[in-house]
Amino acid sequence: MSVLSGKNVLLGVTAGIAAYKSTFLVRLLVKKGADVRVVMTPSAKEFVTPLTLSTLSKNEVYSSFTNEEDDNAQWNNHVELGIWADLFIIAPATANTLSKMSQGTSDNLLVATYLSAKCPVYIAPAMDLDMYKHPSTHETFEKLESFGNILIPAAHGELASGLVGQGRMAEPEDIIDFIEKDISEKLPLKGKKILITAGPTYEAIDPVRFIGNHSSGKMGYAIAETAAQLGAKVTLISGPVSIRTENSLIHLVKVTTAQQMYDAVLQGFESCHIAILSAAVADYRPTDVASQKIKKKEGSLTIQLEKTEDILASLGTRKDRQFLVGFALETENELENAKTKLKKKNLDLIVLNSLNDTGAGFGTDTNKVTFVTRNNKVIPFEVKSKKEVANDILQHIINQLDA
Ligand code: CTP
């Protein structure tokens, strides 16, 4: 999956011959799963039509502060557009627009939006070779880079003038490659190895029966997906669940029993930076597993159980630099129990969910959690989707690692 998937991408198109390539850029961005909106300078409309760009982006195209041809003229809010964007690509960027951007001359919607945007800005210049080489252009590039804008260098080749040299806008495929690499390298969990457990464990009684629980694995899978999107190298150790992950960035290890989960976790723990144990591991398993199906008899049946290994507690005794996160599912004395578990298992964070809260717990798509941190700080959250909870957990860890 591309790092551009699900992103709000604002494409700024300025008045250069390369503007025709912006149509390909829109197509590629849409294919990558981005939501694309286009803002053009008024003169860019002479090079490529708003109709083409709005059809390809499936969104309205903006080129002036108001829709002047519309009787109910509507204000095109550059601030809103700037806030909406997760990233802003200006391609092609002419010498004129670049100069205005460096000076803050906001005499069109594109430059006003640029000045309002808080997101990363990528600039793909396009101009004739002598313009590209001019000291004033270089000064502009340097100034824009000093603002934190990211320059995608122009390519070498035949130019609209017929001359050959550097100044051609980078090809749309190369622009996308450049941006994907740049985003990936800057992801907050880049280079971090994360171990995640999810789902229930099944402890066999006989060849057809087992002791299990209602865990769906949704919380752990959401954490794994989000961690991968944030750049982490994820190993997901999952008990038997019906959900799946298609994410090729997640290394999935399927296990059935608590013992298998313990073995798999221990194997990956030493080299990991972060371990998040969200699995609902069976605390007990049958002491003896019958080799044949247990037949029904008169009277009651007693099954002798023995303790399984507490995976989280055992990681707590081994951890050195790892950030260790546990979950606590409680039905009474929630906070007190969570604090005790945090201490006893030597955790950096415990995520408490109470079965008493609506929207929390097994099988649901939502969760209501409270964080208890290593120094006993209690951070309650509202009911959120499991995806949002996953994000809260990972953001908390990122902040702690950066602190
Ligand atoms: N856990 C584990 N191995 C076990 C049992 C639990 O790694 N054998 C982990 C879970 O993944 C979770 C945390 O421990 O992150 C707490 O699980 P929970 O069932 O709430 O608590 P327990 O420690 O098992 O205590 P109790 O069941 O008595 O509440």
Side-chain angles (χ1 to χ4, degrees), residues 339 342-343 347-349 372-379 396 400:
K339 284 180 180 171
L342 177 94
K343 244 208 170 84
L347 309 180
D348 297 291
L349 175 71
V372 184
T373 69
R374 195 165 178 77
N375 41 19
N376 264 333
K377 201 169 149 205
V378 176
I379 312 170
H396 177 87
Q400 293 304 304

Side-chain angles (χ1 to χ4, degrees), residues 197 199 258 261-262 276-284 308-315 325-330 337 341 344-345 347 350-351:
T197 67
M261 189 172 275
Y262 176 75
I276 306 175
L277 272 57
S278 69
V281 188
D283 289 329
Y284 295 92
T308 58
E309 202 71 58
D310 189 322
I311 307 170
L312 186 59
S314 112
L315 297 190
V325 183
F327 273 70
L329 180 64
E330 304 293 341
N337 287 339
K341 275 182 198 172
K344 214 169 107 192
K345 301 194 186 188
L347 309 180
I350 195 150
V351 181

Side-chain angles (χ1 to χ4, degrees), residues 116-129:
S116 306
K118 293 196 186 79
C119 61
V121 179
Y122 293 89
I123 297 164
M127 58 196 81
D128 209 55
L129 77 167

